[in-house]
Amino acid sequence: MPHRKSIPKPAARRLSLYLRELASRLEQGEATVSSKSLGRTLGLTDAQVRKDLALFGQFGHPGRGYGISDLVDSLRKIMGRDRDWRVCVVGAGNIGRALVSYDRFRREGFDIVAVFDANPAMAGKDAGGLKIRPMTELAKVVADERINLGIIAVPRDGAQQVADALVAAGVHGILNFAPRRIEVREGIGIVSVDFTVALEQLAFQVAFGHDGSDLGDASASHPPDAEAPTHG
Amino acid sequence: MPHRKSIPKPAARRLSLYLRELASRLEQGEATVSSKSLGRTLGLTDAQVRKDLALFGQFGHPGRGYGISDLVDSLRKIMGRDRDWRVCVVGAGNIGRALVSYDRFRREGFDIVAVFDANPAMAGKDAGGLKIRPMTELAKVVADERINLGIIAVPRDGAQQVADALVAAGVHGILNFAPRRIEVREGIGIVSVDFTVALEQLAFQVAFGHDGSDLGDASASHPPDAEAPTHG
DNA sequence: CTCTGTGAAAACATTCACAGCG
DNA sequence: CGCTGTGAATGTTTTCACAGAG
């Protein structure tokens, strides 16, 4: 079921932080949490937390707070974390291999089931327990393994091409680590992470004396699309 | 010289994207660019681009556009990219080692000059050409090597402690890859990247049918600080 | 008395639209 | 013309502040 109503973009980012913190509190055996306590830990106001959570329904109990276990379940469902995500990594360089070995992905329900590399000499070698495959097998493996998300960990110049191949193969979303904007057709999800941009944001904070509460580091998608009536 | 005036947070993020794209165009030999062309490539309106750039002065030439070379120079200075950044990585696991070997950092002027790991058995081993050092040497090396930025690539539970050690040692900013919020005192820069949050944002886009133009993936800092007059 | 959910107000960010330069 | 820089208008997000539940 596609979107219900419109979620403020910044709120979407915070939902992940709520979930991360709530899961951690659940592990520690806490049963309930107030918007104030959650907000304090994450650097947000209590009102902000309540508004965000209220976007999806009424999860709280006046006077008592939110039941952590229930809230985690609800958030997981809302964020699509109740389904199984099957992921492939394209690019078996330093970053690609580090991601394949990043245990937290599996623990959180993102199963990396294939790694590809354009260099035929890499084919057959091991990366974090998976056999590296040649790009020629991408379409077949994505279909056979029912892969729905792709991670791009190749150098800048190959990235758009890889994205096109992933979309053609049938993935529904792409996490891009290459330092450029990736264009995908409507309906395909895209999130980008650029390490250099992240470090640069940090340098900016330091150089500028910025207090910056909540700077993001990198990302892109279907932009609101710079359409201008330039003509008339 | 600390901050001049206040920069819209989203604008700060875009500055990095401008710089990245402009540097790429400069390499390809282009000499000028219009706000419209730059905006189109990045998925922004021309007005947005002009507003952002105008925050720092008048760089454009009416009728002609912006001189790329000059603009790159100005942006680099604004973002603190004209100085030398000396960086250390704490944690020589998969992610830490991948970051040490990430050539783009060096090419962009972020010099990784030391790697540390809490596991004494790792000390002395090689990571991307650097000898891994024990944590006991952190304070001394940060001082001796005039390191001003630290990267945290350790598991969640050690991360805040590492951050405290880095700040005590004298770094001015921290890039955090551990999946938790890091608290630092006023005046210290902080940017966080959480791979799981990034993948989760992607899952959300896909599950929710979100068009999301420009979702960020993770970050935190001195939050506006949830202060409430709860008492009166 | 504590804590949620939520309209209404305030703050913030983006887009429009146009004067003016080259 | 084409393009910048910028006030004014619009749209979005956050904060306030309070009614009502437990």
Side-chain angles (χ1 to χ4, degrees):
Chain A
M1 191 170 289
H3 62 135
R4 293 149 209 258
K5 52 177 139 189
S6 134
I7 307 303
K9 271 175 301 171
R13 265 255 305 313
R14 289 189 297 265
L15 290 180
S16 283
L17 304 183
Y18 298 149
L19 192 44
R20 191 175 75 182
E21 176 63 21
L22 289 167
S24 158
R25 294 200 185 201
L26 191 60
E27 255 181 56
Q28 294 190 232
E30 296 174 46
T32 63
V33 68
S34 68
S35 57
K36 190 161 156 191
S37 149
L38 187 51
R40 176 173 299 271
T41 322
L42 295 170
L44 306 165
T45 65
D46 53 339
Q48 176 99 80
V49 173
R50 291 200 298 279
K51 262 269 153 76
D52 285 345
L53 297 178
L55 286 167
F56 298 95
Q58 308 212 156
F59 302 115
H61 305 286
R64 212 172 305 279
Y66 299 84
I68 296 183
S69 179
D70 288 354
L71 187 49
V72 165
D73 287 350
S74 302
L75 282 179
R76 287 181 60 88
K77 194 179 289 186
I78 288 161
M79 307 216 58
R81 289 286 303 274
D82 55 337
R83 1 174 161 171
D84 239 34
W85 294 99
R86 296 176 64 81
V87 186
C88 68
V89 171
V90 182
N94 294 308
I95 295 174
R97 290 196 313 273
L99 293 170
V100 173
S101 304
Y102 191 57
D103 289 337
R104 181 164 276 260
F105 281 157
R106 203 171 314 272
R107 250 180 293 137
E108 293 285 341
F110 294 101
D111 259 25
I112 297 182
V113 297
V115 204
F116 301 90
D117 199 282
N119 181 350
M122 298 282 270
K125 292 192 180 172
D126 178 275
L130 291 174
K131 213 176 54 181
I132 298 172
R133 298 162 183 273
M135 289 299 285
T136 46
E137 294 182 9
L138 192 139
K140 178 173 168 33
V141 174
V142 166
D144 289 355
E145 295 280 353
R146 303 185 319 285
I147 289 169
N148 33 34
L149 300 179
I151 299 182
I152 297 180
V154 303
R156 188 187 68 179
D157 291 341
Q160 181 64 56
Q161 205 181 137
V162 169
D164 294 343
L166 283 166
V167 171
V171 306
H172 292 108
I174 291 175
L175 176 55
N176 169 48
F177 285 89
R180 60 160 291 172
R181 198 171 95 99
I182 297 294
E183 313 232 28
V184 288
R185 68 156 206 272
E186 177 87 13
I188 303 292
I190 173 104
V191 171
S192 290
V193 175
D194 183 331
F195 295 151
T196 306
V197 165
L199 255 187
E200 189 171 68
Q201 288 295 309
L202 184 59
F204 183 48
Q205 278 186 36
V206 174
F208 211 77
H210 229 246
D211 268 341
S213 359
D214 190 57
L215 286 175
D217 15 12
S219 86
S221 337
H222 299 291
D225 239 330
E227 203 70 43
T230 313
H231 162 269
Chain B
M1 189 171 289
H3 62 139
R4 292 150 210 256
K5 54 177 140 189
S6 133
I7 306 304
K9 269 175 302 169
R13 265 253 307 311
R14 290 189 298 263
L15 290 180
S16 282
L17 304 183
Y18 298 150
L19 193 45
R20 191 175 75 181
E21 176 62 21
L22 289 167
S24 158
R25 294 200 186 200
L26 191 59
E27 254 181 56
Q28 295 191 232
E30 296 174 46
T32 64
V33 68
S34 68
S35 56
K36 191 162 155 189
S37 149
L38 187 50
R40 177 173 297 269
T41 320
L42 296 169
L44 306 165
T45 64
D46 53 339
Q48 176 98 78
V49 173
R50 291 199 299 278
K51 263 268 153 75
D52 286 345
L53 296 178
L55 286 167
F56 298 95
Q58 311 211 155
F59 303 115
H61 305 287
R64 212 172 304 280
Y66 299 84
I68 295 183
S69 178
D70 289 355
L71 187 50
V72 165
D73 287 352
S74 302
L75 282 179
R76 286 181 61 88
K77 195 179 290 187
I78 289 161
M79 307 216 59
R81 290 285 304 274
D82 55 337
R83 0 173 162 172
D84 238 36
W85 295 99
R86 296 176 65 79
V87 185
C88 69
V89 171
V90 183
N94 293 310
I95 295 174
R97 291 197 313 274
L99 293 170
V100 173
S101 305
Y102 191 56
D103 290 336
R104 180 164 276 260
F105 281 157
R106 204 171 314 272
R107 250 180 292 137
E108 293 285 340
F110 295 101
D111 259 25
I112 296 182
V113 297
V115 204
F116 301 91
D117 198 282
N119 182 350
M122 297 283 270
K125 291 193 181 172
D126 177 274
L130 290 173
K131 215 176 53 182
I132 298 172
R133 299 161 182 274
M135 289 298 286
T136 46
E137 294 183 11
L138 191 139
K140 178 172 168 33
V141 174
V142 166
D144 289 355
E145 295 279 354
R146 304 186 318 287
I147 288 169
N148 33 34
L149 300 178
I151 298 182
I152 297 180
V154 303
R156 187 187 69 179
D157 290 343
Q160 181 64 56
Q161 205 181 139
V162 168
D164 294 343
L166 283 167
V167 171
V171 306
H172 292 108
I174 291 175
L175 176 55
N176 169 47
F177 284 89
R180 60 160 292 171
R181 198 172 95 100
I182 296 294
E183 311 231 28
V184 288
R185 67 157 206 273
E186 178 88 11
I188 304 292
I190 173 104
V191 171
S192 291
V193 174
D194 182 331
F195 295 151
T196 305
V197 166
L199 255 187
E200 190 171 67
Q201 289 295 309
L202 184 59
F204 184 48
Q205 278 186 37
V206 173
F208 211 77
H210 229 247
D211 268 341
S213 357
D214 190 55
L215 286 175
D217 17 12
S219 87
S221 339
H222 297 291
D225 238 330
E227 202 70 42
T230 314
H231 163 268

